Structures are given as structure tokens and as C-alpha cells.
Amino acid sequence: MSEIRVRNDTGVALDDVQVTAADVAQSLGPLPPGAVSSWRPADAVHRYPAVEASGPGVDLMHLPFEGDAQADLPAGRYTYVLRLEGGRLVVGLEED
């Protein structure tokens, strides 16, 4: 069993953040800039999850490449770090 959380490094207030990995979606709630969500249990963690985030005047989406099978990462605690680069959502991963 693993745990995940999300850190908002976008500089934008996010009203809702949803992470989907291994076909399981988790809503992590609102995240102000610089905030970190609470830890959530996850049966599987992938390097490249699908992430949807929305806030005032902004809808962001990050999708992994279709058809690329991703191996599950080893059990542990992982933080997905959300950033904006050129107006696009980029998702980094840190092992905690």
C-alpha cells in the first residue's frame, strides 16, 4: 500500500484537484498556492497520473500518453508537484 498527496506550486488557487492512476480517481479538494494536501491511501502509484485541476478562471489537465503501460511504483509515500510551464500543467513526482 502506498500514499499520495499533491503540492500546488502553480501559483494559482485551485478549487478542486483530482488525481487518477490505475483507473482510480481521488479528489484531493481545494489547494491554495503553496499548499499540500493530506496523505491519501493508494493501491497503485504511477509516475505519470492523470490530473485535473480547476480554479477561478482556470481549468488544467495533465494526461499520460495513451497506450503507454506504466509499471506501479514501489510501495511508499509520493508527492505529486503541480507546476505551470508556458501555461501548461506539469506534474513532478517526489518520493517522501
Side-chain angles (χ1 to χ4, degrees):
M1 178 67 81
S2 294
E3 291 182 299
I4 61 168
R5 66 181 181 176
V6 173
R7 186 173 72 228
N8 180 2
D9 285 354
T10 65
V12 176
L14 300 174
D15 295 330
D16 186 42
V17 177
Q18 184 168 310
V19 175
T20 303
D23 295 328
V24 177
Q26 293 201 36
S27 179
L28 295 142
L31 282 178
V36 180
S37 73
S38 60
W39 290 104
R40 303 289 173 91
D43 290 330
V45 178
H46 293 152
R47 170 63 187 93
Y48 300 104
V51 177
E52 295 180 57
S54 60
V58 65
D59 287 314
L60 303 169
M61 184 177 293
H62 175 271
L63 298 173
F65 292 110
E66 260 189 67
D68 283 349
Q70 294 187 59
D72 295 348
L73 295 175
R77 296 179 109 190
Y78 296 92
T79 301
Y80 289 115
V81 181
L82 308 183
R83 299 184 318 273
L84 289 177
E85 292 182 7
R88 295 182 56 170
L89 181 63
V90 176
V91 180
L93 179 69
E94 295 176 355
E95 187 173 2
D96 293 297

Coordinates of all heavy atoms in Angstrom, one line a residue:
M1 N 0.9 -1.2 0.0 CA 0.0 0.0 0.0 C 0.9 1.2 0.0 O 1.9 1.3 0.7 CB -0.9 0.0 1.2 CG -1.8 1.2 1.3 SD -3.1 1.4 0.1 CE -4.3 0.3 0.7
S2 N 0.5 2.2 -0.8 CA 1.2 3.5 -0.8 C 0.3 4.6 -0.4 O -0.9 4.4 -0.2 CB 1.7 3.7 -2.3 OG 2.6 2.8 -2.7
E3 N 0.9 5.8 -0.3 CA 0.1 7.0 0.0 C 0.6 8.1 -1.0 O 1.8 8.2 -1.4 CB 0.4 7.5 1.4 CG -0.2 6.6 2.5 CD 0.0 7.1 3.9 OE1 1.2 7.3 4.2 OE2 -1.0 7.4 4.5
I4 N -0.4 8.9 -1.4 CA -0.1 10.1 -2.3 C -0.6 11.4 -1.7 O -1.5 11.3 -0.8 CB -0.7 9.9 -3.7 CG1 -2.2 9.8 -3.6 CG2 -0.1 8.7 -4.4 CD1 -2.9 9.9 -5.0
R5 N 0.0 12.5 -2.1 CA -0.5 13.8 -1.8 C -0.1 14.7 -3.0 O 0.6 14.3 -3.8 CB 0.0 14.3 -0.5 CG 1.5 14.6 -0.4 CD 1.9 15.1 0.9 NE 3.3 15.3 0.9 CZ 4.0 15.9 1.9 NH1 3.3 16.2 3.0 NH2 5.3 16.1 1.9
V6 N -0.7 15.9 -3.0 CA -0.4 16.9 -4.0 C 0.1 18.2 -3.4 O -0.5 18.6 -2.5 CB -1.6 17.1 -4.9 CG1 -1.4 18.2 -5.9 CG2 -2.0 15.8 -5.6
R7 N 1.1 18.8 -4.0 CA 1.6 20.1 -3.7 C 1.3 21.1 -4.8 O 1.6 20.8 -6.0 CB 3.0 20.1 -3.3 CG 3.5 21.5 -2.7 CD 4.9 21.4 -2.3 NE 5.9 21.4 -3.4 CZ 6.9 20.5 -3.4 NH1 7.1 19.7 -2.5 NH2 7.7 20.5 -4.5
N8 N 0.7 22.2 -4.5 CA 0.3 23.2 -5.5 C 1.4 24.2 -5.7 O 1.5 25.2 -4.9 CB -1.0 23.9 -5.2 CG -1.4 24.9 -6.2 OD1 -0.8 25.1 -7.2 ND2 -2.5 25.6 -5.9
D9 N 2.3 24.0 -6.6 CA 3.3 25.0 -6.9 C 3.0 25.8 -8.2 O 3.9 26.4 -8.8 CB 4.7 24.3 -7.1 CG 5.3 23.9 -5.8 OD1 4.8 24.2 -4.7 OD2 6.4 23.2 -5.8
T10 N 1.7 25.9 -8.5 CA 1.3 26.6 -9.8 C 1.2 28.1 -9.6 O 1.3 28.9 -10.5 CB -0.1 26.2 -10.2 OG1 -1.1 26.5 -9.3 CG2 -0.1 24.6 -10.5
G11 N 1.1 28.6 -8.3 CA 0.9 30.0 -8.1 C -0.5 30.4 -8.2 O -0.9 31.6 -8.1
V12 N -1.4 29.4 -8.5 CA -2.8 29.7 -8.7 C -3.7 28.9 -7.7 O -3.3 27.8 -7.4 CB -3.3 29.2 -10.1 CG1 -4.7 29.4 -10.3 CG2 -2.5 29.9 -11.2
A13 N -4.7 29.6 -7.1 CA -5.6 28.9 -6.2 C -6.4 27.8 -7.0 O -7.0 28.1 -8.0 CB -6.5 29.9 -5.5
L14 N -6.4 26.6 -6.5 CA -7.1 25.5 -7.1 C -8.3 25.1 -6.3 O -8.1 24.8 -5.1 CB -6.2 24.3 -7.4 CG -5.0 24.6 -8.3 CD1 -4.0 23.4 -8.4 CD2 -5.4 25.0 -9.7
D15 N -9.5 25.2 -6.8 CA -10.7 24.8 -6.1 C -10.9 23.3 -5.9 O -11.5 22.8 -5.0 CB -11.9 25.4 -6.7 CG -11.9 26.9 -6.7 OD1 -11.3 27.5 -5.8 OD2 -12.5 27.5 -7.6
D16 N -10.4 22.6 -6.9 CA -10.5 21.1 -6.9 C -9.4 20.5 -7.6 O -9.0 21.0 -8.7 CB -11.8 20.7 -7.5 CG -12.1 19.2 -7.4 OD1 -11.8 18.6 -6.3 OD2 -12.5 18.6 -8.3
V17 N -8.8 19.5 -7.1 CA -7.7 18.7 -7.7 C -8.1 17.2 -7.7 O -8.4 16.7 -6.6 CB -6.4 18.9 -7.0 CG1 -5.3 18.1 -7.6 CG2 -6.0 20.4 -7.0
Q18 N -8.0 16.6 -8.8 CA -8.3 15.2 -8.9 C -7.2 14.4 -9.6 O -6.7 14.8 -10.7 CB -9.6 14.9 -9.7 CG -10.0 13.5 -9.8 CD -11.4 13.3 -10.3 OE1 -12.4 14.0 -9.9 NE2 -11.6 12.4 -11.3
V19 N -6.7 13.3 -9.0 CA -5.6 12.5 -9.5 C -6.2 11.2 -9.8 O -6.9 10.5 -9.0 CB -4.5 12.4 -8.5 CG1 -3.4 11.5 -8.9 CG2 -3.9 13.8 -8.1
T20 N -5.9 10.7 -11.0 CA -6.3 9.3 -11.4 C -5.1 8.5 -11.8 O -4.3 8.9 -12.7 CB -7.3 9.4 -12.6 OG1 -8.4 10.2 -12.3 CG2 -7.8 8.0 -13.0
A21 N -4.9 7.4 -11.2 CA -3.8 6.5 -11.5 C -4.4 5.1 -11.4 O -5.2 4.8 -10.4 CB -2.6 6.7 -10.6
A22 N -4.0 4.2 -12.2 CA -4.5 2.8 -12.2 C -6.0 2.8 -12.2 O -6.6 2.0 -11.5 CB -3.9 2.0 -11.0
D23 N -6.6 3.7 -13.0 CA -8.1 3.8 -13.1 C -8.8 4.1 -11.8 O -10.0 3.8 -11.7 CB -8.7 2.5 -13.7 CG -8.2 2.3 -15.2 OD1 -7.9 3.3 -15.9 OD2 -8.0 1.2 -15.6
V24 N -8.1 4.6 -10.8 CA -8.8 5.0 -9.6 C -8.6 6.5 -9.4 O -7.5 7.0 -9.4 CB -8.2 4.3 -8.4 CG1 -8.8 4.8 -7.1 CG2 -8.3 2.8 -8.5
A25 N -9.7 7.2 -9.3 CA -9.7 8.7 -9.2 C -9.8 9.1 -7.7 O -10.6 8.4 -7.0 CB -10.8 9.3 -10.0
Q26 N -9.0 10.0 -7.3 CA -9.1 10.6 -6.0 C -9.2 12.1 -6.0 O -8.4 12.7 -6.7 CB -7.9 10.2 -5.2 CG -7.7 8.7 -4.9 CD -6.8 8.4 -3.7 OE1 -6.8 9.2 -2.7 NE2 -6.1 7.4 -3.8
S27 N -10.2 12.6 -5.4 CA -10.4 14.1 -5.2 C -9.6 14.5 -4.0 O -9.8 14.0 -2.9 CB -11.9 14.4 -5.1 OG -12.0 15.8 -5.0
L28 N -8.7 15.5 -4.2 CA -7.9 15.9 -3.1 C -8.3 17.3 -2.6 O -7.6 17.9 -1.8 CB -6.4 15.9 -3.6 CG -5.9 14.5 -3.8 CD1 -5.0 14.4 -5.0 CD2 -5.3 13.9 -2.6
G29 N -9.4 17.8 -3.1 CA -10.0 19.0 -2.6 C -9.3 20.3 -3.1 O -8.5 20.2 -4.0
P30 N -9.6 21.4 -2.4 CA -9.0 22.7 -2.8 C -7.6 22.8 -2.3 O -7.3 22.2 -1.3 CB -9.9 23.7 -2.1 CG -10.6 23.0 -1.0 CD -10.6 21.5 -1.4
L31 N -6.8 23.5 -3.1 CA -5.4 23.7 -2.7 C -5.0 25.1 -3.0 O -4.8 25.5 -4.2 CB -4.4 22.8 -3.4 CG -4.3 21.3 -3.0 CD1 -3.4 20.5 -3.8 CD2 -3.9 21.3 -1.5
P32 N -4.8 26.0 -2.0 CA -4.3 27.3 -2.3 C -2.8 27.2 -2.8 O -2.2 26.2 -2.7 CB -4.3 28.0 -0.9 CG -5.1 27.1 0.0 CD -5.1 25.8 -0.6
P33 N -2.3 28.3 -3.4 CA -0.9 28.2 -3.9 C 0.1 27.9 -2.7 O -0.1 28.4 -1.6 CB -0.6 29.7 -4.3 CG -2.0 30.2 -4.6 CD -2.9 29.6 -3.7
G34 N 1.0 26.9 -3.0 CA 2.0 26.5 -2.0 C 1.5 25.5 -1.0 O 2.2 24.9 -0.2
A35 N 0.2 25.1 -1.0 CA -0.4 24.2 -0.1 C -0.1 22.8 -0.5 O 0.1 22.5 -1.7 CB -1.9 24.4 0.1
V36 N -0.2 21.9 0.5 CA 0.0 20.4 0.3 C -1.3 19.7 0.8 O -1.7 20.0 1.9 CB 1.2 19.9 1.0 CG1 1.4 18.4 0.8 CG2 2.5 20.7 0.6
S37 N -1.8 18.8 0.0 CA -3.0 18.1 0.5 C -2.6 17.1 1.6 O -1.4 16.8 1.8 CB -3.6 17.3 -0.7 OG -2.8 16.2 -1.0
S38 N -3.6 16.5 2.2 CA -3.3 15.4 3.2 C -2.9 14.1 2.4 O -3.2 14.0 1.2 CB -4.5 15.2 4.1 OG -5.6 14.8 3.3
W39 N -2.3 13.2 3.1 CA -2.0 11.9 2.5 C -3.2 11.1 2.3 O -4.2 11.1 3.1 CB -1.1 11.1 3.5 CG 0.3 11.7 3.6 CD1 0.8 12.4 4.6 CD2 1.4 11.6 2.6 NE1 2.1 12.8 4.4 CE2 2.5 12.3 3.1 CE3 1.5 11.1 1.3 CZ2 3.7 12.4 2.4 CZ3 2.6 11.2 0.6 CH2 3.7 11.9 1.2
R40 N -3.3 10.4 1.1 CA -4.4 9.6 0.8 C -3.8 8.2 0.4 O -2.8 8.1 -0.3 CB -5.2 10.1 -0.4 CG -5.7 11.5 -0.2 CD -6.9 11.5 0.8 NE -7.3 12.9 1.1 CZ -8.2 13.5 0.4 NH1 -8.8 13.0 -0.6 NH2 -8.5 14.8 0.8
P41 N -4.5 7.1 0.9 CA -4.0 5.8 0.5 C -4.2 5.5 -1.0 O -5.2 6.0 -1.6 CB -4.9 4.8 1.3 CG -6.1 5.6 1.7 CD -5.7 7.1 1.7
A42 N -3.3 4.8 -1.6 CA -3.4 4.4 -3.0 C -2.9 3.0 -3.2 O -1.8 2.7 -2.7 CB -2.6 5.4 -3.8
D43 N -3.7 2.2 -3.9 CA -3.3 0.8 -4.2 C -2.2 0.8 -5.1 O -1.3 -0.1 -5.0 CB -4.5 0.0 -4.7 CG -5.6 -0.2 -3.7 OD1 -5.2 -0.3 -2.5 OD2 -6.8 -0.3 -4.1
A44 N -2.1 1.7 -6.1 CA -1.1 1.8 -7.1 C -0.7 3.3 -7.3 O -1.6 4.1 -7.3 CB -1.5 1.1 -8.4
V45 N 0.6 3.5 -7.5 CA 1.1 4.8 -7.8 C 1.8 4.8 -9.1 O 2.6 3.9 -9.3 CB 2.0 5.4 -6.7 CG1 2.5 6.8 -7.1 CG2 1.3 5.4 -5.4
H46 N 1.5 5.7 -10.0 CA 2.2 5.8 -11.3 C 3.0 7.1 -11.4 O 2.6 8.1 -10.8 CB 1.2 5.7 -12.5 CG 0.5 4.4 -12.6 ND1 -0.7 4.2 -13.1 CD2 0.9 3.1 -12.2 CE1 -1.0 3.0 -13.1 NE2 -0.1 2.3 -12.6
R47 N 4.1 7.0 -12.2 CA 4.9 8.2 -12.4 C 4.1 9.3 -13.1 O 4.3 10.5 -12.8 CB 6.2 7.8 -13.2 CG 7.0 9.0 -13.7 CD 7.6 9.8 -12.5 NE 8.2 11.0 -13.0 CZ 7.7 12.2 -13.1 NH1 6.4 12.3 -12.8 NH2 8.4 13.2 -13.4
Y48 N 3.3 8.9 -14.0 CA 2.5 9.9 -14.8 C 1.0 9.7 -14.6 O 0.4 9.0 -15.4 CB 2.9 9.8 -16.3 CG 4.4 10.1 -16.5 CD1 5.2 9.0 -16.8 CD2 4.9 11.4 -16.4 CE1 6.6 9.3 -17.0 CE2 6.2 11.6 -16.6 CZ 7.1 10.6 -16.9 OH 8.4 10.8 -17.1
P49 N 0.4 10.3 -13.6 CA -1.0 10.1 -13.4 C -1.8 11.1 -14.3 O -1.2 12.1 -14.8 CB -1.2 10.5 -12.0 CG -0.2 11.6 -11.7 CD 1.0 11.1 -12.6
A50 N -3.1 10.9 -14.4 CA -3.9 11.9 -15.0 C -4.3 12.9 -13.9 O -4.6 12.4 -12.8 CB -5.2 11.3 -15.6
V51 N -4.2 14.2 -14.1 CA -4.5 15.2 -13.1 C -5.4 16.2 -13.7 O -5.1 16.7 -14.8 CB -3.2 15.9 -12.6 CG1 -3.6 17.0 -11.6 CG2 -2.3 14.9 -11.9
E52 N -6.5 16.5 -13.0 CA -7.4 17.6 -13.4 C -7.5 18.6 -12.3 O -7.7 18.1 -11.1 CB -8.8 17.1 -13.7 CG -8.8 16.2 -15.0 CD -10.2 15.6 -15.2 OE1 -11.1 16.5 -15.4 OE2 -10.4 14.4 -15.3
A53 N -7.4 19.9 -12.6 CA -7.4 20.9 -11.5 C -8.2 22.1 -12.1 O -8.0 22.4 -13.3 CB -6.0 21.3 -11.1
S54 N -9.0 22.7 -11.2 CA -9.7 23.9 -11.6 C -9.7 24.9 -10.5 O -9.5 24.6 -9.4 CB -11.1 23.5 -12.0 OG -11.8 23.0 -10.8
G55 N -9.8 26.2 -11.0 CA -9.8 27.3 -10.0 C -10.5 28.4 -10.7 O -11.0 28.3 -11.9
P56 N -10.5 29.6 -10.1 CA -11.2 30.7 -10.7 C -10.6 31.1 -12.1 O -9.4 31.5 -12.1 CB -10.9 31.9 -9.7 CG -10.6 31.2 -8.4 CD -10.0 29.9 -8.8
G57 N -11.3 30.9 -13.1 CA -10.9 31.2 -14.5 C -9.8 30.3 -15.0 O -9.2 30.6 -16.0
V58 N -9.6 29.1 -14.4 CA -8.6 28.2 -14.9 C -9.0 26.8 -14.8 O -9.6 26.3 -13.8 CB -7.2 28.4 -14.2 CG1 -7.3 28.0 -12.7 CG2 -6.1 27.6 -14.9
D59 N -8.9 26.0 -15.9 CA -9.1 24.6 -16.0 C -7.8 24.0 -16.5 O -7.4 24.3 -17.6 CB -10.3 24.2 -16.9 CG -11.6 24.6 -16.2 OD1 -11.8 24.3 -15.0 OD2 -12.4 25.2 -16.9
L60 N -7.2 23.1 -15.7 CA -5.9 22.5 -16.1 C -6.1 21.0 -16.2 O -6.8 20.4 -15.4 CB -4.9 22.8 -15.1 CG -4.6 24.3 -14.8 CD1 -3.8 24.5 -13.6 CD2 -4.0 25.0 -16.1
M61 N -5.4 20.4 -17.1 CA -5.4 18.9 -17.3 C -4.0 18.4 -17.7 O -3.4 19.0 -18.6 CB -6.4 18.5 -18.3 CG -6.6 17.0 -18.4 SD -7.9 16.5 -19.6 CE -9.3 17.1 -18.7
H62 N -3.6 17.3 -17.1 CA -2.4 16.6 -17.5 C -2.8 15.2 -17.7 O -3.3 14.5 -16.8 CB -1.4 16.7 -16.4 CG -0.1 15.9 -16.6 ND1 0.0 14.6 -16.3 CD2 1.0 16.3 -17.2 CE1 1.2 14.2 -16.6 NE2 1.8 15.2 -17.2
L63 N -2.5 14.7 -18.9 CA -2.8 13.3 -19.2 C -1.6 12.5 -19.6 O -0.8 13.1 -20.4 CB -3.8 13.2 -20.4 CG -5.2 13.9 -20.1 CD1 -6.0 13.9 -21.4 CD2 -5.9 13.1 -19.0
P64 N -1.4 11.3 -19.1 CA -0.3 10.5 -19.6 C -0.5 10.1 -21.1 O -1.6 10.2 -21.6 CB -0.3 9.3 -18.7 CG -1.7 9.2 -18.2 CD -2.2 10.6 -18.2
F65 N 0.6 9.7 -21.7 CA 0.5 9.3 -23.1 C -0.4 8.0 -23.2 O -0.2 7.1 -22.4 CB 1.9 9.0 -23.7 CG 2.7 10.2 -23.9 CD1 3.8 10.4 -23.1 CD2 2.4 11.2 -24.8 CE1 4.6 11.5 -23.2 CE2 3.1 12.3 -25.0 CZ 4.2 12.5 -24.2
E66 N -1.4 8.0 -24.1 CA -2.2 6.9 -24.3 C -1.4 5.7 -24.8 O -0.6 5.9 -25.6 CB -3.4 7.2 -25.2 CG -4.6 7.5 -24.5 CD -5.8 7.6 -25.5 OE1 -6.2 6.6 -26.1 OE2 -6.3 8.7 -25.6
G67 N -1.7 4.5 -24.3 CA -1.1 3.3 -24.8 C 0.2 3.0 -24.1 O 0.7 1.9 -24.3
D68 N 0.7 3.9 -23.3 CA 1.9 3.6 -22.6 C 1.6 2.9 -21.2 O 1.0 3.5 -20.4 CB 2.7 4.9 -22.2 CG 3.5 5.5 -23.4 OD1 3.6 4.7 -24.4 OD2 4.0 6.6 -23.3
A69 N 1.9 1.7 -21.1 CA 1.6 0.9 -19.9 C 2.7 1.4 -18.9 O 3.9 1.5 -19.1 CB 1.8 -0.6 -20.1
Q70 N 2.2 1.8 -17.7 CA 3.0 2.2 -16.6 C 3.1 1.2 -15.5 O 2.1 0.7 -15.1 CB 2.5 3.5 -16.0 CG 2.5 4.7 -17.0 CD 2.1 5.9 -16.2 OE1 2.8 6.3 -15.3 NE2 1.0 6.6 -16.6
A71 N 4.3 0.9 -15.2 CA 4.5 0.0 -14.0 C 4.2 0.7 -12.7 O 4.4 1.9 -12.6 CB 6.0 -0.5 -14.0
D72 N 3.6 0.0 -11.8 CA 3.4 0.5 -10.5 C 4.7 0.8 -9.8 O 5.7 0.1 -9.9 CB 2.6 -0.4 -9.6 CG 1.2 -0.7 -10.1 OD1 0.7 0.0 -11.0 OD2 0.6 -1.7 -9.6
L73 N 4.8 2.0 -9.1 CA 6.0 2.3 -8.4 C 6.0 1.5 -7.1 O 5.0 1.0 -6.6 CB 6.0 3.8 -8.0 CG 6.1 4.8 -9.2 CD1 5.9 6.2 -8.8 CD2 7.4 4.6 -10.0
P74 N 7.2 1.3 -6.5 CA 7.3 0.5 -5.2 C 6.4 1.2 -4.2 O 6.2 2.4 -4.2 CB 8.8 0.6 -4.9 CG 9.5 1.0 -6.1 CD 8.5 1.7 -6.9
A75 N 5.9 0.4 -3.2 CA 5.2 1.0 -2.1 C 5.9 2.1 -1.4 O 7.2 1.9 -1.2 CB 4.8 -0.1 -1.1
G76 N 5.2 3.1 -1.1 CA 5.9 4.3 -0.4 C 5.0 5.5 -0.3 O 3.8 5.4 -0.6
R77 N 5.6 6.6 0.0 CA 4.8 7.9 0.0 C 5.4 8.8 -1.1 O 6.6 9.0 -1.2 CB 5.0 8.5 1.4 CG 4.4 7.7 2.5 CD 4.7 8.4 3.8 NE 3.4 8.9 4.3 CZ 3.2 9.7 5.3 NH1 4.3 10.2 6.0 NH2 2.0 10.1 5.7
Y78 N 4.4 9.3 -1.9 CA 4.8 10.1 -3.0 C 4.0 11.4 -3.0 O 2.8 11.4 -2.7 CB 4.5 9.3 -4.3 CG 5.3 8.1 -4.5 CD1 4.8 6.9 -4.0 CD2 6.6 8.1 -5.1 CE1 5.6 5.7 -4.1 CE2 7.3 6.9 -5.2 CZ 6.8 5.7 -4.7 OH 7.5 4.6 -4.9
T79 N 4.7 12.5 -3.4 CA 4.1 13.8 -3.6 C 4.1 14.1 -5.1 O 5.2 14.2 -5.7 CB 4.8 14.9 -2.8 OG1 4.8 14.5 -1.4 CG2 4.1 16.2 -2.9
Y80 N 2.9 14.4 -5.6 CA 2.8 14.9 -7.0 C 2.9 16.5 -6.9 O 2.1 17.1 -6.1 CB 1.5 14.5 -7.6 CG 1.4 13.1 -8.0 CD1 0.5 12.2 -7.4 CD2 2.3 12.5 -9.0 CE1 0.4 10.9 -7.7 CE2 2.2 11.2 -9.3 CZ 1.3 10.4 -8.7 OH 1.3 9.1 -9.0
V81 N 3.8 17.1 -7.6 CA 4.0 18.5 -7.5 C 3.5 19.1 -8.8 O 4.0 18.8 -9.9 CB 5.5 18.8 -7.4 CG1 5.8 20.3 -7.3 CG2 6.1 18.1 -6.2
L82 N 2.5 20.0 -8.6 CA 1.9 20.7 -9.8 C 2.5 22.0 -10.1 O 2.7 22.8 -9.1 CB 0.4 20.9 -9.5 CG -0.4 19.7 -9.1 CD1 -1.9 20.0 -8.9 CD2 -0.3 18.5 -10.0
R83 N 2.9 22.2 -11.3 CA 3.6 23.5 -11.8 C 2.9 23.9 -13.1 O 2.4 23.1 -13.8 CB 5.1 23.3 -12.0 CG 5.8 22.9 -10.8 CD 7.4 22.8 -11.0 NE 7.8 22.2 -12.3 CZ 8.0 21.0 -12.5 NH1 7.8 20.1 -11.6 NH2 8.3 20.5 -13.7
L84 N 3.1 25.2 -13.4 CA 2.7 25.7 -14.7 C 4.0 26.0 -15.5 O 4.8 26.7 -14.9 CB 1.8 26.9 -14.6 CG 0.4 26.7 -14.1 CD1 -0.4 28.0 -13.9 CD2 -0.4 25.7 -15.0
E85 N 4.1 25.5 -16.7 CA 5.2 25.9 -17.6 C 4.6 26.3 -18.9 O 4.0 25.5 -19.6 CB 6.2 24.7 -17.7 CG 6.9 24.4 -16.5 CD 7.9 23.3 -16.6 OE1 8.1 22.8 -17.8 OE2 8.5 22.8 -15.6
G86 N 4.7 27.5 -19.3 CA 4.2 28.0 -20.5 C 2.7 27.9 -20.6 O 2.1 27.6 -21.6
G87 N 2.0 28.0 -19.4 CA 0.6 27.9 -19.3 C 0.1 26.5 -19.3 O -1.2 26.3 -19.2
R88 N 0.9 25.5 -19.3 CA 0.5 24.1 -19.3 C 0.8 23.5 -17.9 O 1.8 23.8 -17.3 CB 1.3 23.3 -20.4 CG 0.9 23.7 -21.8 CD 1.6 22.9 -22.8 NE 1.3 21.5 -22.6 CZ 1.7 20.6 -23.4 NH1 2.3 20.8 -24.5 NH2 1.4 19.3 -23.1
L89 N 0.0 22.6 -17.5 CA 0.1 21.9 -16.2 C 1.2 20.8 -16.4 O 1.2 20.0 -17.3 CB -1.2 21.2 -15.8 CG -1.1 20.5 -14.5 CD1 -0.8 21.4 -13.3 CD2 -2.5 19.8 -14.2
V90 N 2.2 20.8 -15.5 CA 3.3 19.9 -15.5 C 3.2 19.2 -14.1 O 3.1 19.9 -13.1 CB 4.7 20.6 -15.7 CG1 5.8 19.6 -15.5 CG2 4.7 21.2 -17.0
V91 N 3.4 17.9 -14.1 CA 3.3 17.1 -12.8 C 4.7 16.5 -12.5 O 5.1 15.6 -13.3 CB 2.2 16.0 -12.9 CG1 2.1 15.3 -11.6 CG2 0.9 16.7 -13.2
G92 N 5.3 16.9 -11.4 CA 6.5 16.3 -11.0 C 6.2 15.3 -9.9 O 5.1 15.2 -9.4
L93 N 7.2 14.5 -9.6 CA 7.0 13.4 -8.5 C 8.2 13.4 -7.6 O 9.3 13.5 -8.0 CB 6.9 12.1 -9.2 CG 6.7 10.9 -8.3 CD1 5.3 10.9 -7.6 CD2 6.9 9.6 -9.0
E94 N 7.9 13.5 -6.3 CA 8.9 13.4 -5.3 C 8.6 12.2 -4.4 O 7.4 12.0 -4.0 CB 8.9 14.6 -4.4 CG 9.3 15.9 -5.2 CD 9.3 17.1 -4.3 OE1 8.8 17.1 -3.2 OE2 9.6 18.2 -4.9
E95 N 9.6 11.4 -4.1 CA 9.4 10.3 -3.1 C 9.7 10.8 -1.8 O 10.7 11.4 -1.5 CB 10.3 9.1 -3.5 CG 10.0 7.9 -2.6 CD 10.7 6.7 -3.1 OE1 11.5 6.8 -4.0 OE2 10.5 5.6 -2.5
D96 N 8.8 10.6 -0.8 CA 8.9 11.1 0.6 C 9.3 10.0 1.5 O 9.1 8.8 1.3 CB 7.6 11.7 1.0 CG 7.3 13.0 0.2 OD1 8.1 13.9 0.3 OD2 6.3 13.0 -0.5

